[in-house]
Amino acid sequence: MGLSSALASAMSGLRANQAALSIVSSNVANAQTPGYTVQTPNQIEVTTGDFGSTVTTTGVSRELDTYVQNQLRTETGGSGYADQMANILKQLQNVYGTPGNSGTLETALNNFTTALQALSTSAGSSSAQTVAVGAAQALAQQLNVTTKGIQSLRSNVEQDLGNSAQAANSALNQIADINTKLQGLSANDPSAATLMDQRDQAINTLSKLVDVRVTTDGSNQANIYTTTGIQLVGAGLASQFSFSAAGALSATDQYNIDPAKSGVGAFNIRLPNGSQIDVVANNVVSSGQIAADLKLRDQTLVQAQTQIDQLAATMSSALSDKTTAGSTVTGPPAGFDIDLAGAQPGNTVNFTYTDTTTNTQRQITLVNVTDPAALPLQNATNANPMQIGVNFNGGMGAIASALNTALSGAHLTFAAAPSPATATTLRITDDNTGLASVNSSSITKTISSLTSGNPQLPLFTDGGQALYTGAITASGSQMTGLAGRIAVNTQLVTDPTKLSVYSTSPVTPAGDTTRSDYLYSQLTNALFSYSPQTGLGSANQPFTGSVSNYLQQFLSIQGNAATQATQLQQGQSVVVSTLQAKFNSTSSVNLDSEMSNLIQLQNAYAANAHVMSVVQSMMNTLLQAQV
């Protein structure tokens, strides 16, 4: 090797050391910078004809494990989902309160049943009657307060969706902007490394909100998709989430796939090509905080509201509804007569029949639906009993015709009962073929008078005066939101003696406990079936139990859900922390390692400088020898 070659090699070494020192300096300076990825110089050997081999620095490399990075982003989305679910369900437990404490549904129900039991031991006591009415009011108010708490949580989640949409859009726009800036830049360019750090930070922010899948093409453009395949970011283009908040939500404000019928904020995504997709209807997101908020708003908290609405509805109906068995028709054909007179919207006729070809017993519930826009009623698959909506006020001919059509294959016959039955009596019989047999029938009507002569009492009402009958209209069931509207009958508040006096002709005897005994028994011992929409039971096997049993069951379900959500949150936190530590072990700045690199570079720099000094000395010697 000649002196010129040695000099060229030493100079290229110094330049490479200088570049490496600059990178080490940058690593050390950014050791505490969030999102900074440690960089290393890219050095290659260059061979020239005259000077042999030299070294040159072609740029930098970011040291990261992309596999772990992708795992971390996936689990970050799961963490965002788990955090939000645990947070809201914990707040929901605060709405319910601690079992046994004052200000809870359990305590309010127990206080009311205790007051009714006390009333039975002193039926004529005005103070006992007043205490019982007060306990009923406290129970109604607790249901009102619980509804407000649940709907407040739904409203908070609704507001959070708007904030999350803005945060997601900001991250999407930043990613798309950085993609544009990276076009034309080499991946080894130091400025490109800085931009990619910033892009990774934006992607990490986005992954907390929605589930993401990231691919990078040959031109260093990040393409981002949801796990369902919806593209969020392409080459310089970003989709945008849009959210139109509905404001404070009530129990009747629920999601509907038809925007005209939906009572909650519309959450959509507009793709770069201009098309718009309903995020909820198309299940666009499956993880992240946004997915959790949508599930909480449209499912979890709606079911919590349904649970307390069912409690309010069952209590109201348990105390005010009277069930009367149908009159037997010996036949042939055999069956029952049912008097529909006085039935309110939502009142029902129940009957069972046996399909003799399969020896299968079936249950049918006829629901009095006076709003034609609500028909036909929708039944879940294998619903038992099956519900059929019909207007009881439509005349026996129209009612019979509708039922004969609806149950045309059941081998049953519906008709107006012949004289001397009243014009409001429906006859249900088999069709005389022997293929079906009607087993039982009954009608349930809501008692509206405080002194009907029956122990039943419209104690709870919908808003203070309107009867709760379970009416179904095109806008939904009367049960929806009932817990927020339930109140004690204003007539009873004015005259608490009606808790004992159930008849004025003849007058209920003093000390008679018939009504108070009945009310207490209905709330503590009577068994009722509950809608599967409460999360208990199923369509063909609904949960059956007393009012107290039902309350304990759904509170237990909610408590378990909150516990599981917290456990999932804790587990997810461990997973994310572990992956983050694994990712940091590669990508974060290790000061010990950088100091070691610095020492090596200093030694190399000194060695190259020494070579140059020696070469200079030798050249001076040669020049002096030639003089």
Side-chain angles (χ1 to χ4, degrees), residues 6 29-30 60 114 123 133 136 145 306 319 324 333 341 359 401 412 416 441-442 453 462 479 508 517 549 603:
N30 288 282
V60 299
T114 298
V133 170
V145 168
T306 300
L319 304 184
T324 305
N359 198 31
S401 176
L412 302 175
S441 71
S442 64
D462 188 345
M479 188 180 84
T508 304
D517 288 344
N549 290 153
N603 292 336

Side-chain angles (χ1 to χ4, degrees), residues 278-302:
D278 185 327
V279 172
V280 181
N282 294 280
N283 297 313
V284 170
V285 294
S286 58
S287 187
Q289 186 171 324
I290 288 176
D293 280 335
L294 290 173
K295 183 173 183 178
L296 286 163
R297 185 196 68 176
D298 300 336
Q299 298 178 42
T300 306
L301 294 176
V302 169

Side-chain angles (χ1 to χ4, degrees), residues 323-326 336 338 340 346-353 362-367 384-387 392 428 438-445:
T323 299
T324 305
F336 298 88
I338 299 289
L340 305 183
N347 287 171
T348 59
V349 169
N350 291 279
F351 68 91
T352 62
Y353 73 95
R362 306 188 187 281
Q363 300 181 60
I364 305 294
T365 296
L366 310 180
V367 184
N384 187 33
M386 181 176 73
Q387 290 190 334
F392 288 8
I428 306 171
V438 184
N439 305 318
S440 64
S441 71
S442 64
I443 183 167
T444 299
K445 301 176 184 178

Side-chain angles (χ1 to χ4, degrees), residues 63-387:
E63 296 298 314
L64 53 82
D65 187 328
T66 56
Y67 176 76
V68 174
Q69 185 182 49
N70 289 332
Q71 280 188 310
L72 179 58
R73 286 169 176 165
T74 298
E75 297 302 333
T76 296
S79 179
Y81 182 93
D83 287 349
Q84 186 68 347
M85 291 296 290
N87 176 38
I88 298 300
L89 290 181
K90 182 178 180 181
Q91 293 182 54
L92 180 59
Q93 289 304 296
N94 292 334
V95 170
Y96 292 134
T98 304
N101 289 359
S102 60
T104 66
L105 287 172
E106 273 188 307
T107 300
L109 178 59
N110 290 337
N111 289 344
F112 180 45
T113 55
T114 298
L116 289 175
Q117 190 175 33
L119 184 61
S120 288
T121 63
S122 54
S125 169
S126 60
S127 62
Q129 293 164 349
T130 301
V131 168
V133 170
Q137 289 178 307
L139 175 55
Q141 289 166 3
Q142 190 60 48
L143 285 165
N144 299 161
V145 168
T146 305
T147 294
K148 288 180 181 178
I150 293 173
Q151 296 311 313
S152 177
L153 290 177
R154 289 188 71 221
S155 298
N156 291 344
V157 166
E158 171 94 344
Q159 183 178 13
D160 190 60
L161 281 169
N163 296 335
S164 295
Q166 292 180 3
N169 288 340
S170 176
L172 291 169
N173 291 333
Q174 185 180 2
I175 296 165
D177 181 58
I178 293 174
N179 271 349
T180 300
K181 292 178 180 178
L182 284 169
Q183 288 179 347
L185 291 179
S186 168
N188 297 327
D189 192 318
S191 61
T194 300
L195 287 172
M196 285 187 283
D197 280 349
Q198 295 172 359
R199 186 175 66 184
D200 281 349
Q201 280 290 86
I203 295 174
N204 293 342
T205 298
L206 182 65
S207 68
K208 185 79 173 178
L209 301 170
V210 299
D211 47 298
V212 297
R213 179 170 57 85
V214 184
T215 62
T216 305
D217 59 26
S219 60
N220 203 24
Q221 299 294 290
N223 298 286
I224 303 178
Y225 305 83
T226 66
T227 53
T228 56
I230 301 298
Q231 187 167 21
L232 300 177
V233 179
L237 298 174
S239 299
Q240 293 287 283
F241 289 103
S242 64
F243 181 71
S244 53
L249 301 182
S250 68
T252 56
D253 294 325
Q254 298 185 17
Y255 172 79
N256 192 298
I257 195 170
D258 181 353
K261 297 178 181 179
S262 185
V264 297
F267 200 87
N268 299 307
I269 184 169
R270 184 175 294 279
L271 304 181
N273 62 10
S275 62
Q276 184 164 287
I277 299 175
D278 185 327
V279 172
V280 181
N282 294 280
N283 297 313
V284 170
V285 294
S286 58
S287 187
Q289 186 171 324
I290 288 176
D293 280 335
L294 290 173
K295 183 173 183 178
L296 286 163
R297 185 196 68 176
D298 300 336
Q299 298 178 42
T300 306
L301 294 176
V302 169
Q303 185 179 80
Q305 182 65 49
T306 300
Q307 288 169 348
I308 62 169
D309 285 342
Q310 177 75 83
L311 176 64
T314 301
M315 287 196 311
S316 299
S317 299
L319 304 184
S320 65
D321 285 1
K322 180 181 180 180
T323 299
T324 305
S327 302
T328 302
V329 176
T330 55
F336 298 88
D337 283 346
I338 299 289
D339 187 2
L340 305 183
Q344 302 284 338
N347 287 171
T348 59
V349 169
N350 291 279
F351 68 91
T352 62
Y353 73 95
T354 299
D355 181 343
T356 57
T357 59
T358 60
N359 198 31
T360 302
Q361 188 177 81
R362 306 188 187 281
Q363 300 181 60
I364 305 294
T365 296
L366 310 180
V367 184
N368 185 13
V369 179
T370 57
D371 182 356
L375 297 174
L377 297 183
Q378 300 299 313
N379 284 280
T381 303
N382 298 322
N384 187 33
M386 181 176 73
Q387 290 190 334

